[in-house]
Amino acid sequence: MTTKRDFLRLGDLSLAEARQVLSLSECLKREPKGRRTQLLAGRAIAVVLEKASTRTRVSFEVGCAQLGAHPVVLGVQGSQLGRGEPIRDTARVLARYCDAIVFRTSATSRLLEMAEAPVPVVNALTDDGHPIQVLCDIFTIEEQLTTSIAGKRVAFVGDCGCNMARSWLEAAPIFGFHLVLAGPASHAPPAHEIAAAGTHVSQVFDPEGAAVGCDVVNTDVWASMGQEAEAATRARAFAGWTVDEEMLRVADPHAIVLHCLPAHRGEEIDEATLEGPRSRVWDQAENRLHVQKGLLVWLLGKAGDVR
Ligand code: CP
Ligand code: NVA
């Protein structure tokens, strides 16, 4: 019996395994529409969303369909989750019907409970991380810069305490790039997470220095899902940290800009930058589809069948 594998955090894959997933994803992206592999035919994938989603839901649902698998999307409303059925019961039942579970939730403890299911579980965002997004974004960076992310300088600007920033922080030592966390000191990741990134991270507390020499500048909303009540306070805390041309003046001339979306124009990023020549956000959104397909194929043991 083989042990099931999960993707709850980036470190759940070794670098070699992550590289395997990314190269599988490249193969799947290149497949002509009319000759798509049916590698996961007969399988069912549960996509359980306890928070709102557009990209994650659609990219997993379409990705499953393209692989011949059946996606089952479950929200809080309309399922027994909304009426308080324990996650561990949901997990056991889903595993009787489905071959993998993709889960978006709030607390990491809920994710870990779901991961007790005897099938692979994929973290599709928690309050503490968004590792699948970052894995997909590494694919986009390497595709767009046409070189490895290793040795590159990647800035995360704005709310450095948010789930996206924390997954970037986890990724830096694994993939060997330098992460610049640029934002107000009041909103930083937990100290032990910064310490774990060692020399792969530095912090900048002044917007003028945020993008200096960076190859990639990445940002995210100032108020994440669940923080809506703090939106006004947060807007004040992050004032001056908008990613715009002024901030990017000191970046590498070929620097690209990423945003996992949804974007709040005029807050964490301005319209001109989001729609401008440095922006790769639409490719970034598309690549969710390809990389998640690669990950599902890998987790379900079909990597060897991709040509
Ligand atoms: N980036 C991202 O995860 O988008 P959704 O919240 O729309 O899924
Ligand atoms: N930090 C954002 C990411 C959305 C994909 C949030 O959690 O709302």
Side-chain angles (χ1 to χ4, degrees), residues 113-253:
E113 213 175 313
M114 188 68 98
E116 287 173 20
V119 295
V121 172
V122 174
N123 179 355
L125 181 147
T126 67
D127 294 344
D128 302 316
H130 197 359
I132 186 66
Q133 177 77 55
V134 170
L135 185 67
C136 297
D137 293 353
I138 288 169
F139 180 92
T140 301
I141 289 168
E142 297 193 335
E143 175 189 69
Q144 296 295 321
L145 298 181
T146 64
T147 180
S148 168
I149 194 170
K152 297 289 177 199
R153 194 170 170 87
V154 177
F156 189 95
V157 179
D159 182 7
C160 295
C162 83
N163 43 15
M164 279 297 299
R166 291 170 67 187
S167 285
W168 274 113
L169 188 53
E170 195 197 354
I174 298 174
F175 287 87
F177 59 89
H178 188 83
L179 181 71
V180 179
L181 288 175
S186 52
H187 293 77
H192 69 274
E193 293 180 15
I194 297 179
T199 55
H200 289 277
V201 67
S202 53
Q203 289 175 277
V204 170
F205 301 110
D206 156 24
E208 283 180 20
V212 174
C214 288
D215 304 285
V216 180
V217 176
N218 193 53
T219 189
D220 188 13
V221 290
W222 289 343
S224 286
M225 290 182 276
Q227 297 173 333
E228 290 79 3
E230 300 166 34
T233 328
R234 289 178 153 266
R236 281 193 293 278
F238 296 116
W241 287 97
T242 305
V243 174
D244 56 16
E245 263 315 308
E246 175 62 20
M247 183 183 279
L248 293 167
R249 232 174 3 93
V250 290
D252 183 272

Side-chain angles (χ1 to χ4, degrees), residues 30-68:
R30 279 202 306 264
E31 276 188 333
K33 273 195 177 130
R35 281 194 287 119
R36 284 212 173 98
T37 165
Q38 293 287 293
L39 277 175
L40 300 186
R43 311 283 188 114
I45 314 291
V47 180
V48 184
L49 302 169
E50 293 197 305
K51 288 186 178 185
S53 169
T54 296
R55 280 143 289 270
T56 303
R57 178 194 169 146
V58 178
S59 55
F60 269 110
E61 203 167 339
V62 171
C64 288
Q66 291 183 358
L67 290 166

